[in-house]
Amino acid sequence: MHVLHDAPLAPLTTFRLGGPATRLVTATTDAEVIAAVREADDSGTPLLVIGGGSNLVIGDKGFDGTALRIATCGVELRGTTLELAAGEVWTDAVARTVEAGLAGIECLAGIPGSAGATPIQNVGAYGQEVSATITEVVAYDRRARETVTLTGEECAFSYRHSRFKADPERHIVLRVRFELEDAAGLSAPIRYAETARVLGVEPGDRVPLADARETVLRLRAGKGMVLDPEDHDTWSAGSFFTNPILSDEQFAAFQVRVRERLGEDATPPAYPAGEGRTKTSAAWLIDKAGFTKGYGTGPARISTKHTLALTNRGEATTEDLLALAREVVAGVQDVFGVTLVNEPVTVGVSL
């Protein structure tokens, strides 16, 4: 276990923003993780858990407490069962499953962050979500003070949500287990229209695993969603806002606003999201409200490649970023009557 005091946290986040932590503990084993958590709990010290730092917005004043960086390692493949230590780099794990000829997470390639974060957010992209393949999550239960194993069903997954996100102070993810598919080197059925179009197939078709992964990586890179230290469009948390899910009444009111703004023939993106609910596109809302790619004149701006990503152009502070986020939220609310919700976790700040 490695311990630093007054430790910078900005380098541990993809935004490269935020002040220092009073104390930074780096744990490389499950036992070290549990020991650090118990020490913080026993002393009443605030605890911030950091994995890959790709979903964190830390305030400029930093964190007054213990920041625990989970750097555990371990990848185990047994047939079609995959077990990952929480600290494993997610995109590297995806690459290994593709090399092994196993389908189920290949369209989640290029997503920054650690394996332990994937069940918290129910990470998803390009037609796949981890909830479809996660069978168990091993976690330390801070309330019971013991290690527990939760089934996929017990994780209560929904769109970008889980029991871990609903009660963030309770569980520390240690390991994640997945059940993948041996489809003779082929991918899971392609569900995302853009991916199918680029691959030249119909939705529902399968393609060679490597083709699916490489296509997703190209699509993500074109939107600034693959980490590149030389590209400020990737100094972000990826999608900053979740796609709004509206009730039938809310969606009807939204459609009225769309026609008022864009004309009688305008049709917003709409996807079924369960009975009586419709999901629309946050990126579309942002763009149509006037916040186009590259919007902003300060050190925090909308990505030049994707309207859903807010970025640090190199000299930004967290307050610069939040000011931009608040401007976007207010603008979309004013134009369309829809409230955007931030996807990254905020620490010591809020929108």
Side-chain angles (χ1 to χ4, degrees):
M1 190 183 299
H2 187 248
V3 179
L4 290 174
H5 295 276
D6 195 27
L9 295 181
L12 302 182
T13 74
T14 53
F15 263 124
R16 296 167 173 80
L17 295 176
T22 306
R23 184 169 177 262
L24 172 64
V25 176
T26 299
T28 58
T29 68
D30 290 354
E32 288 181 354
V33 171
I34 293 170
V37 174
R38 284 180 171 169
E39 180 183 2
D41 289 347
D42 289 344
S43 62
T45 303
L47 180 69
L48 170 65
V49 178
I50 301 177
S54 61
N55 203 44
L56 277 180
V57 177
I58 299 173
D60 292 317
K61 293 182 179 179
F63 183 70
D64 185 12
T66 295
L68 169 60
R69 178 171 172 261
I70 297 182
T72 53
C73 298
V75 179
E76 186 174 354
L77 264 174
R78 301 181 302 276
T80 56
T81 300
L82 170 69
E83 180 176 298
L84 298 175
E88 282 291 330
V89 177
W90 173 253
T91 194
D92 292 348
V94 173
R96 291 184 68 161
T97 65
V98 170
E99 291 169 3
L102 298 177
I105 58 175
E106 62 280 358
C107 290
L108 302 178
I111 294 176
S114 62
T118 60
I120 297 171
Q121 189 76 358
N122 185 17
V123 163
Y126 294 96
Q128 289 183 345
E129 288 183 329
V130 292
S131 57
T133 50
I134 288 178
T135 57
E136 292 180 329
V137 174
V138 179
Y140 176 69
D141 185 334
R142 298 170 70 182
R143 192 174 302 163
R145 296 181 63 86
E146 64 182 12
T147 300
V148 297
T149 300
L150 303 171
T151 65
E153 184 176 350
E154 288 172 326
C155 292
F157 291 122
S158 60
Y159 173 65
R160 300 297 174 272
H161 202 68
S162 69
R163 72 178 298 168
F164 309 109
K165 191 172 182 180
D167 188 4
E169 300 300 318
R170 180 165 183 178
H171 293 101
I172 307 296
V173 175
L174 301 174
R175 298 187 171 269
V176 189
R177 295 175 182 141
F178 303 80
E179 185 59 33
L180 305 175
E181 179 187 8
D182 185 348
L186 295 180
S187 69
I190 301 297
R191 302 296 184 193
Y192 199 70
E194 182 183 22
T195 314
R197 176 179 56 78
V198 173
L199 285 163
V201 300
E202 294 296 321
D205 288 350
R206 295 176 183 260
V207 299
L209 276 164
D211 291 354
R213 174 178 176 271
E214 290 162 10
T215 296
V216 165
L217 287 173
R218 286 197 303 272
L219 288 170
R220 291 186 64 86
K223 299 172 183 177
M225 297 291 185
V226 176
L227 293 181
D228 178 352
E230 302 302 316
D231 182 0
H232 284 285
D233 278 333
T234 73
W235 289 33
S236 75
S239 299
F240 195 86
F241 300 104
T242 57
N243 289 322
I245 296 177
L246 308 176
S247 67
D248 287 344
E249 183 179 356
Q250 289 171 327
F251 189 72
F254 167 53
Q255 287 179 302
V256 171
R257 294 280 197 109
V258 169
R259 289 192 290 270
E260 290 174 350
R261 171 82 173 189
L262 303 174
E264 287 299 319
D265 295 331
T267 303
Y271 311 96
E275 186 175 352
R277 304 201 307 167
T278 301
K279 180 167 68 176
T280 192
S281 166
W284 186 92
L285 287 165
I286 293 166
D287 181 71
K288 299 304 181 185
F291 304 99
T292 54
K293 295 174 185 176
Y295 178 88
T297 57
R301 303 179 199 172
I302 290 178
S303 166
T304 66
K305 300 182 180 71
H306 199 308
T307 54
L308 202 48
L310 308 188
T311 67
N312 171 11
R313 307 317 291 184
E315 300 295 331
T317 64
T318 300
E319 279 305 310
D320 293 328
L321 175 76
L322 294 175
L324 175 62
R326 291 173 186 134
E327 183 182 1
V328 171
V329 170
V332 168
Q333 175 66 42
D334 182 60
V335 173
F336 294 116
V338 175
T339 301
L340 294 177
V341 177
N342 53 291
E343 188 168 326
V345 175
T346 56
V347 178
V349 292
S350 65
L351 290 189

